[in-house]
Amino acid sequence: MKEIYMKARAKVNLNLEILEKRKDNYHNIKSVFQKINLYDEIYIQKSDNDDCQIQTNVEELNNKENIIYKAYLKLKEQNPNIKGINVKINKKIPMQAGLAGGSTDCASFILGMNKLFNLKLSKNQIKEICKNLGADVVPCLYNRAILAQGIGDIITKINTDLKYYILIIKPEISCNTKTIFQELDTRNDIKQIHKSEEIINALESNNIEKLSHNLYNVFENVIKEKEIIQNLKKELIKNGAIGSAMTGTGSCVYGIFQNKEKAKKVYNILKDKYQIYICTSYNSLREKEF
């Protein structure tokens, strides 16, 4: 095998609870991650050089600070038989949006490299590498709904094939994950709502109404642009979404719709006003696990 193609799927958080700050300065979380059918395309090709050359359609990512390059160095350190590669990334997932664009690229890259170079890494080895590269990377290994706990490294797969339609709006603001976590750490007035069990039950019973009524993200309370986020949620609900929330640490806001026709209608209403994406949930129960 000389090259491989991977789809790196985005995620939305159906709920996001931050439980406590740890001694290592990470935070324990409790969150249901839902993969969606919005994805970046990653092409990995063996080359004659002894380095990783990255080319993307986002100029600011074409450097050695890219998480893909860091993953390449980590893999090469542990597996000397890895040689040079050329990586082409067609980015479709917006950045600083709460959709895990960088993390899912990293997870897919590691899985692709494992196949391309026949590294025969175990699941635990893959997860350990991912864990050391970023908190969202381990959950992005799974192309399905999962419950993520700990620092995102404790995974429980959710048995669901529920397909629902999602509209995602990327406002003209970007959010810095480190900054928004620091803001949350300074707030003692926020009482978090625990929704994981209700959301898991809704997914497993294919109850889209229950799912939509239990969406929750603690960061909606601390984001500086709170009014922008709330107004987007209201607009989605006004146009027919049965539930809406911000994903991750922002800035994207999504709405859940009961059917394709309604989602398409609202997409057409809002597409000239916002940077907007129409997606579906993605639960690949038949896909071979990594």
Side-chain angles (χ1 to χ4, degrees):
M1 186 184 293
K2 292 183 177 180
E3 60 184 8
I4 194 167
Y5 166 76
M6 304 291 291
K7 291 180 179 179
R9 299 183 184 279
K11 60 81 178 170
V12 294
N13 298 86
L14 299 178
N15 74 304
L16 181 50
E17 305 160 25
I18 307 302
L19 305 183
E20 67 268 321
K21 189 172 183 179
R22 298 153 48 112
K23 291 180 180 179
D24 58 9
N25 285 327
Y26 284 96
H27 294 75
N28 284 323
I29 70 166
K30 194 170 187 181
S31 178
V32 175
F33 281 59
Q34 174 67 71
K35 278 293 184 75
I36 58 177
N37 68 342
L38 172 65
Y39 56 84
D40 291 343
E41 297 178 297
I42 303 178
Y43 303 83
I44 312 170
Q45 184 179 50
K46 291 179 179 178
S47 72
D48 293 331
N49 59 38
D50 198 31
D51 200 5
C52 172
Q53 302 294 328
I54 299 172
Q55 180 186 357
T56 81
N57 56 331
V58 179
E59 185 58 37
E60 63 192 271
L61 297 179
N62 294 328
N63 58 65
K64 293 186 177 182
E65 294 302 310
N66 191 312
I67 193 171
I68 296 292
Y69 191 78
K70 294 175 181 178
Y72 168 77
L73 292 180
K74 184 74 70 175
L75 286 168
K76 194 171 182 181
E77 177 185 309
Q78 297 179 15
N79 302 273
N81 63 315
I82 291 177
K83 302 300 181 184
I85 54 169
N86 293 321
V87 183
K88 184 178 178 182
I89 306 171
N90 180 25
K91 285 204 68 67
K92 301 176 183 178
I93 304 169
M95 297 169 59
Q96 290 190 307
L99 298 172
S103 296
T104 194
D105 287 355
C106 183
S108 292
F109 172 77
I110 290 168
L111 295 178
M113 289 288 286
N114 189 41
K115 293 178 182 177
L116 186 62
F117 286 94
N118 195 28
L119 301 178
K120 297 180 180 177
L121 297 174
S122 69
K123 289 186 179 183
N124 285 337
Q125 287 174 313
I126 291 172
K127 289 173 73 173
E128 192 62 29
I129 293 168
C130 290
K131 180 180 174 181
N132 290 325
L133 288 164
D136 276 355
V137 182
V138 172
C140 287
L141 291 167
Y142 299 83
N143 276 327
R144 60 190 295 167
I146 53 100
L147 173 67
Q149 297 181 88
I151 59 170
D153 59 324
I154 302 171
I155 305 297
T156 304
K157 291 180 280 190
I158 299 171
N159 184 26
T160 182
D161 59 359
L162 178 62
K163 181 178 180 180
Y164 50 95
Y165 288 82
I166 304 168
L167 288 187
I168 300 172
I169 296 176
K170 172 65 170 73
E172 293 181 0
I173 57 171
S174 295
C175 298
N176 182 281
T177 298
K178 183 178 179 181
T179 300
I180 201 169
F181 267 99
Q182 288 173 340
E183 178 65 23
L184 181 64
D185 289 339
T186 65
R187 298 282 295 273
N188 297 316
D189 59 325
I190 296 173
K191 184 178 180 181
Q192 298 204 52
I193 303 171
H194 302 292
K195 291 289 187 178
S196 295
E197 283 67 33
E198 287 89 344
I199 288 172
I200 292 169
N201 179 266
L203 287 169
E204 291 184 335
S205 60
N206 282 12
N207 190 333
I208 190 172
E209 290 83 6
K210 183 175 182 179
L211 171 66
S212 301
H213 296 157
N214 283 285
L215 304 177
Y216 174 75
N217 186 338
V218 65
F219 287 114
E220 290 181 22
N221 299 301
V222 299
I223 189 170
K224 289 182 180 178
E225 298 86 355
K226 183 177 180 179
E227 186 175 354
I228 293 173
I229 300 302
Q230 293 304 316
N231 286 340
L232 288 175
K233 289 175 62 177
K234 289 175 184 176
E235 185 156 19
L236 285 165
I237 295 292
K238 180 183 74 174
N239 280 284
I242 55 175
S244 181
M246 184 175 80
T247 180
T249 54
S251 60
C252 278
V253 173
Y254 66 91
I256 291 178
F257 292 81
Q258 285 184 316
N259 58 63
K260 182 178 183 179
E261 291 69 27
K262 186 66 176 177
K264 274 191 169 182
K265 182 179 178 180
V266 179
Y267 173 82
N268 288 325
I269 291 170
L270 300 178
K271 67 180 181 180
D272 294 329
K273 189 176 180 180
Y274 299 112
Q275 181 181 341
I276 189 167
Y277 304 82
I278 184 167
C279 311
T280 64
S281 56
Y282 188 85
N283 294 299
S284 182
L285 304 186
R286 296 178 183 176
E287 212 170 89
K288 186 179 178 182
E289 290 287 349
F290 68 95

